[in-house]
Amino acid sequence: MADKLLKVQPIRNGTVIDHLRAGTGLKILDILDVADTGNTVSLLINVPSSKQGRKDIIKIEDRELTESETERIALISPGAHVNIIRNYSVAEKTAVEIPEEVAGVARCPNTNCISNNERGATSRLLLRSREPVHLACAYCARLVTEDELQFL
Amino acid sequence: MPRPLAKGMSKDLITMDDLSDDDIVGLLDDAARLVPVAHGDVHLPLLEGKLLGNMFFEPSTRTRMSFETAMKRLGGNVINLGALASSSVSKGETLYDTMRMVDGYCDLAVLRHPRQGAAQYAADACTIPIVNAGDGAGHHPTQTLLDLFTIREELGKLEGLTVGLLGDLRYGRTVHSLAAALARYDATMHFIAPKSLAMPRRVTAELPDGWSAHTTLDEILPELDLLYVTRIQKERFPDPEDYARVAGAYTISAETLRDAKPVLRILHPLPRVNEIATDVDDTGHAAYFRQAFNGVPVRMALLEMLLGSD
Ligand SMILES: [Zn+2]
């Protein structure tokens, strides 16, 4: 699997985000904010996949993801694989999963919520359902659906 | 998230969901036992040496005084930190910092705040128990507890009642919490409101079958064991004439209640404006003044549960 992927366009060191739900790649590039960092980034859209039919793939050279970035990816495309590449081979491979609590990643949609009105407050969303993705604000209990996610 | 105590209850009371069915029964039983203490007929200083901090970031004199009375009747002390709350707001201090300071002053804090979720946020910042006395359009669980206590005292039970909720059902958080609580006791609920102020779907979606919506009281009044009346606020109507017409149509008088069961009890969270005529006060149906008093024994039971030593 990894070999086949690397044949497309091998990278020496960096991160390959594979098995992204088709159509989510652009959104993920957006939240990863890779434009200003100078890293070489490639995005493959609608790649044929035996498991998924179609999938998106993102490759970022010379950069590994932070925990907060991994959580964002999980919220947009749960089940995606994050492969850390070192010296042309996959050093680590993880399937991203939405954690039970996501802190400081996405905003509560309730404008009157304390988390949107207190300086220094960290938003906390608790996972209520994985399929479909439903979260709830840990403070005001407002339900947040996938479409309502606003990343910080 | 509520942290469990040895008693099995959370250290805080933020929403009714923090209470199990057994917790509720325990609190209502304790409240019933504490009624003579609430009246001042029995001296029972269970909370001597304890200090309650009233943190009201917006005014609610009735709720604040009810907590103060409950604490003092149990021999405890109260400091009103309303001045601190308003000075912290004007100085731009965060709720977090203010609560961290109060955490060092008191054994328990009662919080009223205009923002939703403020009580849980404060509870996370503090080691002392936090009681939510209303956070924005969010929760006010001691109001729901005192409503349940009043219903049980007046009607002898909570299970299987036929209940009408009347007035502003859209914006009134009191009726939202009460409907959710009554659903635990298999109530048949009738929601009586003008269409523009009907019970929101997000509330009814959480209820089991057994509720129905109406725009007039007449058709279901004879079935009711309980009628919970709330105020329709002028501010909800852009046109004053609309307000006058709607408010007039949802006014209860002794005449309105002609076809009611003799056991029917009327509750209202007070203050009332004109939604219940004063001639109802002299009927056997009026329970709202006793309901207001019941805030004291119910809050005593809660304070004892959160602060008392076992
Ligand atoms: Zn919130």
Side-chain angles (χ1 to χ4, degrees):
Chain A
M1 176 64 228
D3 285 348
K4 196 175 162 196
L5 180 71
L6 294 173
K7 271 174 205 152
V8 182
Q9 191 184 0
I11 63 173
R12 180 171 184 163
N13 293 305
T15 305
V16 174
I17 314 166
D18 194 6
H19 296 289
L20 288 170
R21 214 185 286 166
T24 60
L26 272 172
K27 211 168 167 183
I28 285 171
L29 271 192
D30 205 39
I31 54 146
L32 292 181
D33 198 21
V34 284
D36 302 329
T37 56
N39 303 82
T40 305
V41 178
S42 23
L43 166 63
L44 289 84
I45 290 176
N46 285 332
V47 180
S49 153
S50 51
K51 276 188 222 160
Q52 286 165 275
R54 298 277 166 180
K55 64 177 181 179
D56 293 357
I57 302 173
I58 293 171
K59 301 176 188 194
I60 311 165
E61 291 185 34
D62 302 315
R63 183 151 158 332
E64 294 179 12
L65 299 178
T66 63
E67 196 185 326
S68 148
E69 286 173 322
T70 311
E71 287 180 354
R72 282 157 209 250
I73 294 168
L75 285 169
I76 295 174
S77 185
H81 288 183
V82 173
N83 303 294
I84 311 255
I85 313 292
R86 293 188 190 124
N87 204 15
Y88 295 110
S89 64
V90 177
E92 277 173 46
K93 179 176 192 155
T94 37
V96 296
E97 255 190 30
I98 305 173
E100 290 298 319
E101 176 176 335
V102 220
V105 167
R107 187 190 305 282
C108 169
N110 176 359
T111 51
N112 193 37
C113 177
I114 186 74
S115 68
N116 289 318
N117 291 280
E118 161 107 338
R119 193 164 16 93
T122 305
S123 83
R124 286 172 56 213
L125 301 180
L126 309 174
L127 185 65
R128 288 277 181 263
S129 141
R130 285 186 192 279
E131 193 60 54
V133 176
H134 280 168
L135 301 121
C137 174
Y139 302 118
C140 76
R142 166 69 195 260
L143 271 184
V144 192
T145 60
E146 218 173 336
D147 309 334
E148 288 176 307
L149 278 174
Q150 277 180 52
F151 291 97
L152 291 164
Chain B
M1 282 279 93
R3 278 146 287 189
L5 279 191
K7 272 181 176 173
M9 209 191 117
S10 143
K11 86 168 172 70
D12 309 298
L13 179 62
I14 308 300
T15 83
M16 283 299 288
D17 292 339
D18 291 338
L19 299 173
S20 68
D21 291 351
D22 287 348
D23 290 333
I24 294 174
V25 170
L27 278 168
L28 301 191
D29 289 348
D30 286 350
R33 279 193 283 271
L34 288 166
V35 166
V37 186
H39 279 302
D41 297 337
V42 175
H43 180 60
L44 187 67
L46 290 170
L47 298 181
E48 197 162 16
K50 301 282 187 186
L51 189 58
L52 177 152
N54 260 330
M55 295 290 302
F56 280 61
F57 285 80
E58 62 180 17
S60 176
T61 312
R62 281 153 215 275
T63 304
R64 186 172 57 74
M65 287 182 58
S66 176
F67 273 105
E68 188 162 341
T69 306
M71 189 66 179
K72 289 185 171 170
R73 287 288 196 201
L74 287 172
N77 268 306
V78 177
I79 45 171
N80 279 309
L81 298 161
L84 172 70
S86 38
S87 82
S88 71
V89 171
S90 65
K91 287 177 182 156
E93 188 179 34
T94 58
L95 175 62
Y96 180 87
D97 284 3
T98 310
M99 293 311 298
R100 284 302 294 265
M101 195 179 59
V102 170
D103 200 31
Y105 281 5
C106 318
D107 301 301
L108 176 147
V110 176
L111 180 77
R112 172 89 160 209
H113 196 280
R115 300 293 184 193
Q116 273 173 269
Q120 183 61 56
Y121 183 80
D124 289 354
C126 289
T127 56
I128 59 169
I130 301 296
V131 175
N132 186 1
D135 55 349
H139 300 275
H140 187 8
T142 58
Q143 175 72 48
T144 308
L145 283 171
L146 84 85
D147 290 343
L148 291 178
F149 180 69
T150 305
I151 296 167
R152 205 181 71 168
E153 291 291 291
E154 296 288 333
L155 296 167
K157 61 172 184 173
L158 285 171
E159 289 76 18
L161 298 172
T162 301
V163 178
L165 303 179
L166 176 138
D168 178 356
L169 305 185
R170 181 170 175 191
Y171 298 100
R173 68 174 164 207
T174 307
V175 284
H176 302 166
S177 306
L178 183 60
L182 286 170
R184 295 194 193 203
Y185 303 100
D186 298 322
T188 302
M189 286 183 265
H190 298 283
F191 303 140
I192 310 129
K195 282 213 161 62
S196 62
L197 296 176
M199 192 65 103
R201 276 182 60 102
R202 68 182 162 77
V203 176
T204 55
E206 301 291 317
L207 299 176
D209 292 345
W211 62 270
S212 57
H214 311 262
T215 50
T216 59
L217 176 62
D218 314 353
E219 62 200 66
I220 41 101
L221 177 70
E223 297 168 33
L224 301 181
D225 303 309
L226 181 85
L227 179 61
Y228 199 101
V229 181
T230 62
R231 187 151 54 97
I232 294 180
Q233 291 175 307
K234 222 180 216 154
E235 306 88 88
R236 307 294 181 208
F237 293 85
D239 183 344
E241 275 184 31
D242 283 349
Y243 164 73
R245 190 172 41 76
V246 167
Y250 293 85
T251 300
I252 310 295
S253 66
E255 172 64 18
T256 322
L257 298 172
R258 210 183 37 224
D259 297 330
K261 285 191 205 174
V263 299
L264 172 81
R265 290 293 179 274
I266 298 180
L267 270 60
H268 187 297
L270 301 185
R272 68 173 157 180
V273 180
N274 48 15
E275 53 279 5
I276 303 176
T278 48
D279 65 3
V280 178
D281 300 0
D282 302 326
T283 70
H285 302 301
Y288 29 89
F289 294 121
R290 290 190 293 274
Q291 177 189 10
F293 163 78
N294 285 340
V296 177
V298 164
R299 291 180 173 114
M300 289 168 83
L302 176 70
L303 293 173
E304 210 281 313
M305 188 177 211
L306 296 173
L307 283 175
S309 47
D310 350 27

